Amino acid sequence: MNMKTDLGIDNGKDGGIVLINEDGNVVESLVMPVIEGVKREFDPSTIYHVLKTMTEQFDSIRCVIEKVQAMPKQGSVSMMSIGYGHGLLIMALTALAIPFRLVGPKEWQREVFKHAGKGDTKQQSVKYARQTQPSVDWRRNERCKIDHDGKTDAYAMAQYAKQVFN
């Protein structure tokens, strides 16, 4: 299908992957694929398969992925996990020839939430997603009662990608 699409990736284990079309409407919205168990791990095979399927369906995909950084009071195991997931996603995007930009959270939030004022950015992304795409189910799954901020953050980043790449 010859259509420009934009991809936003919130790259944490509780993150999300959202693809929007050139009109800004959600085409695909999912939570970050992980392997559940004693210790949740990223699911490299599923992540690659999801992104590969997108490239097979759409000719032009551009991506914004959140730049990772060390946070105060975060342990070394946590930082290794974040770095591993980030590298995994960068490698998948590179292998599939999906152009991407690494963007710090403050950069995309400043642009996407510029009319929202100050406040909790997770709640701002949920509100933004609900307002601009009210027909999309933003929950992790049908049993959940609240919206998944990893998916809504990824959606906001996809909207930012649309702005940045145009």
Side-chain angles (χ1 to χ4, degrees), residues 4-161:
K4 287 182 180 171
T5 54
D6 294 291
L7 183 63
I9 300 178
D10 180 352
N11 54 18
K13 287 182 187 172
D14 289 318
I17 300 172
V18 175
L19 184 70
I20 61 172
N21 63 20
E22 53 197 16
D23 296 326
N25 296 316
V26 174
V27 174
E28 181 84 38
S29 169
L30 59 142
V31 296
M32 183 61 63
V34 294
I35 301 167
E36 299 292 342
V38 174
K39 193 173 179 186
R40 291 182 329 140
E41 298 292 336
F42 288 96
D43 186 345
S45 179
T46 301
I47 290 168
Y48 182 81
H49 177 72
V50 163
L51 295 174
K52 185 173 187 321
T53 301
M54 288 177 181
T55 63
E56 291 167 349
Q57 292 175 340
F58 299 96
D59 296 332
S60 175
I61 298 176
R62 306 157 313 172
C63 179
V64 163
I65 183 169
E66 197 167 69
K67 191 184 304 182
V68 297
Q69 59 192 23
M71 300 297 284
K73 299 183 182 178
Q74 232 172 351
S76 59
V77 173
S78 173
M79 285 311 305
M80 282 295 296
S81 176
I82 291 168
Y84 170 75
H86 186 70
L88 178 79
L89 288 158
I90 296 298
M91 182 52 70
L93 292 167
T94 302
L96 294 165
I98 299 172
F100 65 91
R101 291 198 184 166
L102 298 173
V103 179
K106 295 288 182 217
E107 183 179 339
W108 68 261
Q109 290 165 356
R110 182 174 38 253
E111 185 60 33
V112 176
F113 305 145
K114 64 184 166 193
H115 300 296
K118 302 283 185 209
D120 177 6
T121 58
K122 294 294 184 187
Q123 287 307 310
Q124 285 179 334
S125 80
V126 168
K127 184 178 177 184
Y128 174 75
R130 280 185 189 162
Q131 287 177 343
T132 57
Q133 295 286 294
S135 63
V136 175
D137 185 355
W138 293 109
R139 298 173 301 164
R140 173 183 286 278
N141 60 46
E142 53 282 339
R143 293 187 324 259
C144 292
K145 291 184 177 15
I146 61 171
D147 293 323
H148 187 269
D149 57 43
K151 287 169 64 173
T152 60
D153 275 0
Y155 168 69
M157 282 184 264
Q159 291 291 352
Y160 182 73

